[in-house]
């Protein structure tokens, strides 16, 4: 019940780095997933297993989900969450053994702003009017490029070119598709209900067999707690708002290969994206084989 943006974003980031050194790559070259570590992103979106267990709380009276099974509550939560015009995702997941922290706000116009942290590195991402802006520190770029097998010389050269700059990435340029997908709210939320790669309702099937745990509270909001346990000790807990729309407010995954936590908040609130100053921005197309922009 979560998006796949974590792998998508780091894969795209690594491709952007490769493009700086080697020039634009064919689509087949940059569409492939990156090796470990994978990231935001991507995007999440990669099953983003999500957020810490909520504190115990008294359920509202009357219970808005009275008479519904846990599976039916899960269906209502997914329907409501997919209807959102915007939201914010914050939390940590583990992908290929690497912890990845994200904080993204995204709306239904494919606009977003936020950041990700992995292995001590940080990258910011902004998207407005189909243009993506990305700025990473040295540790982030090194992690991204190392995951793609780039040589130390290539990495050093590329870091000198992008240091302190926002990369401006237009539609059709390397990495733009995956980076844009991280900011596609409809795509992110579609993953709540369907595994598009296999064209079947994988995530929906995973919602079946839920049980309702003790009611709790997330950021002061009463929630119903839904629990799914799998063989091998993997447990997913989903917190569903009992006030207003039954939005998913938290999800947590323990055990398994990709444990983590994510909080979903700021539903239907404006997402304010600020375009970086022109003197701090460089167009990706102007970075060719290690030459200055």
């Amino acid at each position: 019940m979560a998006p796949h943006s974590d792998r998508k974003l780091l894969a795209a980031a690594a491709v952007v780095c490769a493009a700086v050194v080697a020039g634009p790559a064919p689509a087949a070259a940059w569409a492939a997933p990156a090796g470990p570590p994978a990231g935001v992103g991507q995007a999440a979106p990669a099953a983003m297993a999500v957020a810490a267990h909520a504190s115990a709380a008294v359920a509202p009276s009357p219970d808005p989900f009275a008479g519904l099974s846990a599976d039916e509550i899960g269906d209502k939560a997914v329907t409501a969450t997919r209807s959102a015009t915007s939201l914010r995702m914050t939390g940590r997941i583990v992908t290929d053994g690497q912890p990845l922290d994200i904080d993204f706000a995204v709306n239904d116009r494919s606009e977003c702003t936020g950041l990700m942290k992995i292995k001590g590195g940080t990258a910011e991402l902004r998207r407005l009017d189909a243009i993506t802006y990305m700025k990473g520190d040295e540790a982030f770029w090194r992690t991204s490029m190392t995951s793609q097998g780039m040589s130390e010389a290539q990495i050093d050269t590329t870091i000198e070119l992008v240091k302190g700059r926002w990369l401006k990435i237009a539609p059709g340029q390397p990495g733009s598709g995956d980076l844009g997908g991280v900011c596609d709210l409809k795509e992110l939320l579609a993953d709540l209900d369907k595994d598009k790669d296999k064209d079947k309702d994988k995530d929906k099937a995973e919602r079946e067999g839920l049980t309702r745990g003790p009611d709790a509270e997330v950021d002061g909001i009463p929630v119903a707690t839904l629990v799914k346990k799998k063989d091998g000790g993997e447990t997913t807990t989903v917190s569903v708002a009992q006030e207003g729309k039954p939005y998913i407010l938290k999800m947590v995954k323990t055990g398994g290969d990709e444990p983590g936590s994510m909080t979903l908040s700021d539903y239907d609130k404006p997402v304010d994206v600020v375009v970086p100053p022109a003197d701090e921005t460089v167009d990706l197309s102007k970075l060719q084989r290690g030459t200055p922009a």
Side-chain angles (χ1 to χ4, degrees):
M1 295 181 66
H4 299 273
S5 56
D6 58 331
R7 294 178 184 276
K8 183 178 292 185
L9 180 53
L10 238 150
V15 169
V16 167
C17 292
V20 172
V21 174
W30 58 262
V40 174
Q42 246 169 215
M48 286 178 92
V50 290
H53 290 291
S55 58
V58 178
S61 182
D63 180 359
F65 302 129
L68 298 179
S69 68
D71 289 353
E72 290 170 331
I73 298 172
D75 287 340
K76 289 177 68 70
V78 167
T79 298
T81 301
R82 291 184 65 185
S83 74
T85 59
S86 65
L87 57 80
R88 180 183 179 188
M89 303 180 294
T90 57
R92 167 175 286 194
I93 62 173
V94 175
T95 301
D96 292 323
Q98 297 291 342
L100 172 71
D101 296 302
I102 70 167
D103 186 346
F104 270 85
V106 57
N107 65 24
D108 59 1
R109 297 189 298 278
S110 296
E111 299 170 344
C112 73
T113 182
L115 57 82
M116 62 180 290
K117 297 181 179 181
I118 188 167
K119 294 188 73 173
T122 301
E124 296 179 70
L125 182 71
R126 300 177 188 177
R127 183 176 174 85
L128 186 68
D129 297 330
I131 303 295
T132 302
Y133 302 88
M134 189 172 188
K135 181 180 182 181
D137 60 17
E138 180 173 341
F140 174 82
W141 290 125
R142 286 194 181 279
T143 296
S144 301
M145 290 184 281
T146 299
S147 75
Q148 291 296 291
M150 293 173 64
S151 69
E152 284 297 319
Q154 288 178 314
I155 292 174
D156 290 342
T157 298
T158 305
I159 286 176
E160 283 302 311
L161 293 174
V162 301
K163 183 183 300 182
R165 298 183 177 190
W166 289 87
L167 291 181
K168 181 179 180 180
I169 307 163
Q173 291 182 330
S176 63
D178 280 344
L179 289 170
V182 173
C183 299
D184 188 335
L185 181 62
K186 293 185 183 300
E187 179 180 339
L188 295 178
L189 296 182
D191 287 342
L192 286 171
D193 224 18
K194 189 174 183 180
D195 186 330
K196 295 189 292 297
D197 293 335
K198 297 183 180 179
D199 195 27
K200 65 179 182 179
D201 292 335
K202 176 182 176 182
D203 288 335
K204 187 172 183 178
E206 289 180 351
R207 291 205 312 275
E208 297 174 353
L210 296 171
T211 59
R212 185 168 177 176
D215 289 333
E217 199 172 87
V218 174
D219 294 333
I221 301 174
V223 295
T225 301
L226 308 179
V227 181
K228 176 65 179 282
K229 294 186 177 181
K230 295 183 179 180
D231 295 337
E234 181 180 303
T235 300
T236 300
T237 303
V238 181
S239 300
V240 181
Q242 291 179 299
E243 294 180 350
K245 293 185 178 181
Y247 288 135
I248 296 172
L249 299 186
K250 279 190 175 182
M251 296 187 288
V252 61
K253 184 177 179 182
T254 58
D257 296 330
E258 295 185 333
S261 65
M262 191 67 59
T263 301
L264 305 182
S265 62
D266 291 350
Y267 279 97
D268 303 317
K269 293 185 178 181
V271 175
D272 185 20
V273 183
V274 178
V275 175
D279 60 355
E280 297 177 15
T281 302
V282 59
D283 194 307
L284 177 62
S285 64
K286 295 182 180 179
L287 298 178
Q288 297 291 327
R289 296 189 177 278
T291 59

